[in-house]
């Protein structure tokens, strides 16, 4: 019978587990006075055995907890990066809108002043592309033939003249800037200019753009009535650029070719880079 009982492993392990359970209950029940050395031995053995299982289990639990925390931190970090990107984009958009609003307010004030000064019509246009080639400086604006734009119309900013319409297409036009003026280029249009405040006297012609960033004004026969700092404006005698548009200020006055005429260097009032909005000057047709 004993061998038959031992042969039943399940029943054996069940009985062994019940014995251990009752022993543990006896060790943990109340205060029964001093423990005997067998009880101490059993309790210490159980505590030591529990420690063997508890430490690895705690480390494994801590490992998975660290993984969960890393996932939380990764998700929060990803959310913060997305929020920061959106904030930077919104800030840039706000700055662009504020800058555009400032430019449009300046343009509005400019058109009001010009309306009182002359009878020209100023058609505001946006620059859609800009050729950065130093040997072919042109910009493209979003006004074209459908808007009544024609070749050789003067183009300016709120600061002053920047060029002329060189080619017209259906929905856009090309603008040749003043820094592309070249006296050896037949496609370039010289600018007849005079001194502001003395408009009745034609002074000279702007024919080229120097490496110094200044416009070269040649064929000046009399320089007595001009001085450095004077404002140069279009005289209207060239049949291309209408009268009265500011071009720049006199930077220097010196002898011209063969010492017969004078050569005047003019610092442009308008910038030829980072142009956003321009005005196409429309002159009323003479009836």
């Amino acid at each position: 019978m004993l061998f038959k009982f031992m042969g039943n492993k399940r029943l054996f392990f069940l009985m062994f587990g019940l014995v251990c359970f009752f022993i543990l209950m006896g060790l943990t029940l109340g205060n029964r006075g001093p423990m005997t050395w067998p009880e101490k031995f059993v309790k210490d053995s159980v505590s030591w055995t529990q420690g063997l299982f508890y430490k690895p289990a705690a480390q494994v639990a801590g490992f998975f907890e660290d993984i969960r925390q890393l996932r939380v931190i990764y998700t929060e970090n990803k959310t913060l990066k997305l929020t920061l990107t959106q904030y930077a984009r919104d800030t840039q958009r706000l700055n662009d809108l504020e800058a555009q609003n400032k430019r449009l307010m300046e343009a509005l004030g400019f058109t009001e002043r010009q309306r009182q000064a002359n009878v020209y019509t100023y058609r505001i246009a946006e620059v859609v592309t800009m050729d950065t080639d130093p040997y072919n400086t042109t910009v493209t604006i979003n006004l074209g033939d459908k808007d009544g734009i024609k070749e050789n119309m003067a183009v300016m900013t709120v600061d002053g003249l920047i060029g002329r319409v060189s080619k017209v297409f259906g929905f856009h036009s090309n603008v040749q800037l003043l820094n592309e003026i070249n006296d050896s280029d037949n496609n370039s249009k010289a600018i007849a200019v005079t001194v502001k405040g003395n408009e009745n006297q034609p002074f000279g012609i702007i024919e080229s753009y120097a490496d110094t960033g200044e416009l070269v004004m040649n064929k000046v026969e009399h320089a007595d009535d001009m001085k450095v700092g004077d404002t140069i404006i279009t005289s209207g005698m060239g049949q291309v650029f209408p009268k009265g548009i500011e071009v720049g200020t006199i930077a220097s006055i010196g002898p011209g070719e063969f010492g017969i005429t004078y050569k005047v260097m003019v610092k442009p009032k308008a910038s030829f880079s980072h142009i956003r909005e321009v005005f196409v000057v429309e002159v009323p047709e003479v009836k």
Side-chain angles (χ1 to χ4, degrees), residues 128-129 138-152 164-176:
V128 293
T129 61
T138 59
V139 298
T140 302
I141 60 176
N142 63 347
L143 295 182
D145 183 67
K146 69 178 184 64
D147 304 294
I149 304 302
K150 299 178 181 179
E151 290 187 2
N152 292 326
R164 67 178 182 89
V165 176
S166 57
K167 290 183 180 180
V168 179
F169 303 92
F171 298 94
H172 66 277
S173 302
N174 290 346
V175 178
Q176 181 191 46

Side-chain angles (χ1 to χ4, degrees), residues 88-144:
R89 182 177 58 195
D90 292 341
T91 301
Q92 182 62 41
R93 185 170 181 269
L94 177 61
N95 292 337
D96 291 342
L97 289 175
E98 288 179 347
Q100 184 183 38
N101 183 66
K102 182 180 179 181
R103 294 195 305 271
L104 292 177
M105 291 297 293
E106 292 176 350
L108 180 62
F110 167 80
T111 54
E112 289 296 328
R113 293 193 303 271
Q114 295 302 313
R115 186 179 300 173
Q116 299 175 5
N118 50 54
V119 294
Y120 304 151
T121 299
Y122 296 86
R123 307 285 300 278
I124 189 168
E126 292 184 0
V127 174
V128 293
T129 61
M130 184 168 185
D131 190 349
T132 57
D133 184 355
Y135 299 101
N136 185 26
T137 310
T138 59
V139 298
T140 302
I141 60 176
N142 63 347
L143 295 182

Side-chain angles (χ1 to χ4, degrees), residues 16 23 53 98 102 104 131-132 159-160 163 238 246 248 252 272:
F16 180 77
I23 292 175
F53 289 99
E98 288 179 347
K102 182 180 179 181
L104 292 177
D131 190 349
T132 57
D159 298 316
E246 292 188 357
S252 64
F272 303 131

